[in-house]
Amino acid sequence: MCGIVCYVGSKPAKPILLKGLKQLEYRGYDSSGFAIQNGDQIECHRAAGKIAELEKKLNGLDIKGSMGIAHTRWATHGEPTEENAHPHRDNDENVFVIHNGIIENFYALKKRLEKDGVVFRSETDTEVLAHLISLNFDGSLSEAVRKTMSQVEGTFGMAVINRRSPGEIVIARRGSPLIIGVSEDGHFAASDVAAMVRYTNKVVHLQDNELATLTREDFSMSTAQAKPVERSAETVEWRAEDTELNGFPHYMLKEIYEQPETIKNAMRGRLETGEGVPKLGGIMPVWDRLKECRHMVIVACGTSYYAGCVGRYIFEKLTEIDVDVELASEFRYRKLNFAPNTFVIAISQSGETADTLAAIREAKRKGASLLGIVNVVGSSISRETEAGVYNHAGPEIGVASTKIFTSQLTILVLLAILLGRHQNLSLTEGVEVIHALEALSDQVGTVLSQANHIEAIAEKYFNYNNWLFLGRKYNYPIAMEGALKLKEISYIHAEGYPAGEMKHGPIALISPEMPTVAIVPRDEMYEKMISNIQEVKSRRGPVIAITTLGDDRIKEIADDVIEIPPTLSFLNPILAAVACQLLSYYCANFLNRDIDMPRNLAKSVTVE
Ligand code: M6R
């Protein structure tokens, strides 16, 4: 999705903005641009395609100025051309605007402005903002933006500069994140901490219907109704090196390899082994209600949804709570009727997914209590939920979610043990699960140590165009997640199925041309999975089995085997997921795909 980075300070703006844009690349984009102001002069450059295209245009240009706004665009209204790239400007080229989100009443506004003689140069909804702000300008840029906020409907995170207001950048937010960065060399604004973390880790979150004016020395915030806002800066724990490749060819591979650490981080300071109970400080504000809860609904999208699907089985195993899992994008269309004291848990890496945000807002309207499992501290979902648990996994840059998925699963286990221990889970059982969790990080390391073997399997199969992933119970969601991983980064068509459903349809697809990845650890589903694998084999379908270390029986049936260490059955998904991630990664690598930025995808999906 679109990204914003802005700077006003004492240093040259161009390198800061270009570096910031590169840090935003992972969000997904198809054009980029910036505008740099020097006194009453503004220089604007834009290009379709990658940031490298923008850099080509700048070759040899000496762009002076220590303030500017920059943008990566992910096309919604109009094709990804230079004309549609941001910044957009008014007809007199005074006002330059970058914008994330969608202006829903742009068509009516555009028609009205055209009647008044305004000439539009792009197909974007954003351009109306530039014209409106220019028309509303009466000496104060922030007042012009405030008035414009009252005229537009929809969502925006925007940043504006004006030839007639040198030295200031005005930013405004409704539904699309914006963060202010505070440093000794000036002030930053960005849609994402990653764009400025190399310069500062002191941030202030702008909230919906607020605007801010940034200057080199200071910043001030107010509401759309002109009420001053005071909010102190927070320190973010992300470090600049977290956003670097550190020798890995891709962020996805780096993040796969970070999992022994991110799994530990999800548990760090949270385990009371002897008591068999985790401590989760973030949920204490709602603990009295939560411990009585008997119905939960998990809402999420994509990979986070699959984490929720595993979570349902885990809660059913360890607690007395009934759990529903809903795709956030469909949740609002349901007739919601919550039992008293229902908790809705939103799971989201970014904390900004528009569908998940909309789902929790609807749940709140209908009286549910809200919890979040979120990686990005201070993100919209973390603020709009009453309580929750952070992943503390550092930035995830690769578009394909990997380390956050296993971190989400770890946190779901912690939450289930905590609630279970206040219900029917015994001390012995609690201690047993915690011991198994403590062993997980090393066990993930064991799966990672088979990377060469998994790469060799990928080399054998990457040219197959259709794949099937099968699993049962805890590993059924891993089959879906494995298929999602493969399709999103390699563009190979893959289906994830509960193995029991195969005979109800997908079995028609089985042939020597279609590999099946069977997730078949030694658990209570093992024998049934073996029968499903036999069904595939009798139709001459190649089988890659992910199974428990030392399982010789499966080696006689499957064509290829990836072994995972033995653990409790509901922790197998974490180990199996890592094997699936490596398999997808290597297939995509053999196919020379753009692994960290797969086509059409965005890291943070902030439109519905
Ligand atoms: O930031 P979120 O966890 O809310 O994102 C949800 C999905 O958009 C995300 O998991 C997506 O499916 C990834 N591309 C999966 O790899």
Side-chain angles (χ1 to χ4, degrees):
M1 298 274 124
C2 305
I4 284 176
V5 57
C6 311
Y7 172 67
V8 49
S10 54
K11 295 192 162 173
K14 183 179 134 193
I16 291 177
L17 295 179
L18 282 174
K19 271 198 191 113
L21 285 181
K22 284 184 187 157
Q23 295 299 143
L24 293 173
E25 280 193 294
Y26 78 99
R27 295 168 64 97
Y29 72 107
D30 35 46
S31 60
S32 63
F34 66 76
I36 291 180
Q37 185 162 5
N38 190 18
D40 64 358
Q41 297 303 309
I42 294 181
E43 199 166 330
C44 179
H45 295 275
R46 304 177 296 174
K50 297 285 181 199
I51 290 162
E53 299 302 318
L54 181 65
E55 285 180 312
K56 269 190 218 157
K57 288 190 152 189
L58 303 177
N59 246 345
L61 288 181
D62 178 23
I63 302 173
K64 294 208 167 25
S66 53
M67 63 170 281
I69 58 177
H71 191 260
T72 49
R73 172 174 187 255
W74 187 82
T76 56
H77 293 66
E79 286 182 26
T81 58
E82 182 177 332
E83 290 68 38
N84 289 332
H86 300 207
H88 289 285
R89 57 207 188 279
D90 67 322
N91 285 162
D92 296 330
E93 311 217 342
N94 285 324
V95 170
F96 289 73
V97 178
I98 55 177
H99 162 229
N100 291 356
I102 293 177
I103 303 300
E104 284 165 6
N105 59 339
F106 96 99
Y107 187 74
L109 290 169
K110 183 174 176 176
K111 290 290 142 204
R112 203 189 77 204
L113 287 164
E114 279 176 337
K115 252 194 200 155
D116 294 343
V118 170
V119 178
F120 276 76
R121 290 182 268 211
S122 76
E123 302 158 274
T124 66
D125 52 330
T126 301
E127 195 181 335
V128 297
L129 293 172
H131 297 301
L132 286 173
I133 294 168
S134 179
L135 289 167
N136 289 332
F137 183 75
D138 188 17
S140 161
L141 183 58
S142 58
E143 289 313 315
V145 172
R146 199 188 314 279
K147 183 160 182 205
T148 304
M149 288 169 80
S150 70
Q151 294 169 315
V152 296
E153 288 162 18
T155 55
F156 51 82
M158 65 168 125
V160 190
I161 54 175
N162 178 12
R163 275 201 311 123
R164 296 161 293 181
S165 315
E168 64 181 42
I169 300 174
V170 174
I171 61 173
R173 163 185 178 153
R174 184 185 297 153
S176 200
L178 274 181
I179 306 155
I180 298 168
V182 182
S183 89
E184 283 178 5
D185 300 316
H187 289 95
F188 296 80
S191 48
D192 189 321
V193 176
M196 56 191 182
V197 76
R198 71 170 62 231
Y199 305 105
T200 180
N201 62 355
K202 298 256 173 302
V203 303
V204 180
H205 291 266
L206 201 67
Q207 296 193 358
D208 276 349
N209 293 310
E210 289 180 353
L211 61 159
T213 302
L214 315 184
T215 63
R216 175 178 164 168
E217 295 80 18
D218 210 355
F219 71 94
S220 60
M221 298 189 293
S222 57
T223 65
Q225 290 73 36
K227 211 168 135 212
V229 171
E230 293 294 331
R231 192 169 299 128
S232 41
E234 295 166 40
T235 304
V236 290
E237 57 188 25
W238 293 6
R239 302 158 305 172
E241 59 265 34
D242 292 337
T243 62
E244 304 292 340
L245 278 166
N246 297 339
F248 282 91
H250 296 102
Y251 284 105
M252 180 179 176
L253 193 62
K254 175 184 173 230
E255 287 155 6
I256 290 173
Y257 272 86
E258 281 172 358
Q259 289 175 108
E261 197 55 28
T262 50
I263 286 172
K264 269 193 200 150
N265 287 347
M267 297 187 276
R268 201 178 298 283
R270 290 174 170 166
L271 298 182
E272 282 199 27
T273 312
E275 294 296 312
V277 187
K279 284 187 294 189
L280 297 173
I283 59 164
M284 283 309 124
V286 297
W287 177 242
D288 284 344
R289 277 181 284 141
L290 185 60
K291 69 175 194 259
E292 304 302 331
C293 163
R294 290 296 178 275
H295 183 223
M296 278 182 176
V297 184
I298 297 176
V299 292
C301 299
T303 290
S304 297
Y305 168 74
Y306 297 137
C309 293
V310 181
R312 169 170 42 199
Y313 289 108
I314 296 173
F315 271 83
E316 282 171 6
K317 171 85 181 162
L318 301 181
T319 76
E320 292 174 342
I321 301 171
D322 286 335
V323 180
D324 293 316
V325 193
E326 301 279 351
L327 282 165
S329 54
E330 285 294 315
F331 186 65
R332 266 174 307 159
Y333 310 130
R334 302 282 310 282
K335 189 163 183 218
L336 300 173
N337 198 359
F338 298 123
N341 200 24
T342 295
F343 270 79
V344 168
I345 308 184
I347 305 181
S348 175
Q349 185 286 127
S350 61
E352 300 294 349
T353 302
D355 288 320
T356 311
L357 259 173
I360 58 170
R361 286 175 185 158
E362 187 60 19
K364 187 174 179 190
R365 214 169 281 135
K366 297 281 160 56
S369 304
L370 304 178
L371 283 185
I373 298 177
V374 174
N375 187 42
V376 179
V377 175
S379 56
S380 301
I381 293 175
S382 72
R383 282 185 290 99
E384 293 200 25
T385 43
E386 292 166 67
V389 188
Y390 281 120
N391 294 92
H392 296 306
E396 190 178 64
I397 308 279
V399 162
S401 187
T402 53
K403 64 175 179 175
I404 302 301
F405 179 65
T406 50
S407 171
Q408 288 166 340
L409 293 180
T410 307
I411 288 171
L412 285 163
V413 177
L414 295 182
L415 194 55
I417 311 173
L418 177 59
L419 288 161
R421 290 285 288 119
H422 286 268
Q423 295 166 3
N424 60 354
L425 197 69
S426 69
L427 172 65
T428 318
E429 288 166 322
V431 170
E432 187 196 13
V433 183
I434 290 184
H435 279 149
L437 280 174
E438 285 169 335
L440 256 185
S441 171
D442 287 347
Q443 292 181 319
V444 167
T446 307
V447 181
L448 293 174
S449 69
Q450 295 176 70
N452 290 344
H453 169 61
I454 297 175
E455 185 176 15
I457 296 176
E459 190 170 16
K460 190 167 158 192
Y461 292 101
F462 75 91
N463 272 324
Y464 287 74
N465 293 325
N466 295 292
W467 291 46
L468 187 63
F469 284 71
L470 296 179
R472 280 178 185 257
K473 200 173 174 180
Y474 304 115
N475 294 303
Y476 152 45
I478 302 304
M480 296 195 290
E481 166 61 7
L484 176 68
K485 249 2 23 124
L486 186 66
K487 66 186 137 193
E488 67 180 337
I489 58 163
S490 69
Y491 318 147
I492 295 171
H493 172 245
E495 303 252 9
Y497 256 91
E501 275 294 296
M502 189 181 61
K503 56 190 170 299
H504 299 292
I507 198 163
L509 297 169
I510 302 292
S511 79
E513 274 71 55
M514 182 159 175
T516 294
V517 178
I519 303 155
V520 53
R522 279 269 178 194
D523 64 8
E524 58 269 35
M525 294 293 113
Y526 182 79
E527 291 301 334
K528 287 194 191 302
M529 279 300 298
I530 293 284
S531 305
N532 296 130
I533 293 171
Q534 301 283 18
E535 286 159 12
V536 175
K537 285 309 305 169
S538 37
R539 286 155 186 87
R540 295 190 294 127
V543 171
I544 304 161
I546 298 176
T547 190
T548 305
L549 201 66
D551 182 352
D552 293 332
R553 186 168 160 204
I554 207 90
K555 288 183 187 149
E556 290 171 15
I557 315 170
D559 298 82
D560 293 278
V561 174
I562 302 169
E563 292 179 307
I564 58 173
T567 183
L568 298 176
S569 52
F570 54 87
L571 298 183
N572 278 319
I574 294 180
L575 302 173
V578 177
C580 289
Q581 292 164 0
L582 284 171
L583 189 59
S584 302
Y585 171 82
Y586 287 117
C587 284
N589 206 31
F590 282 119
L591 290 163
N592 274 323
R593 301 299 192 221
D594 192 353
I595 291 181
D596 287 330
M597 283 176 277
R599 67 183 181 207
N600 306 334
L601 285 177
K603 181 67 183 164
S604 174
V605 185
T606 50
V607 294
E608 285 173 28

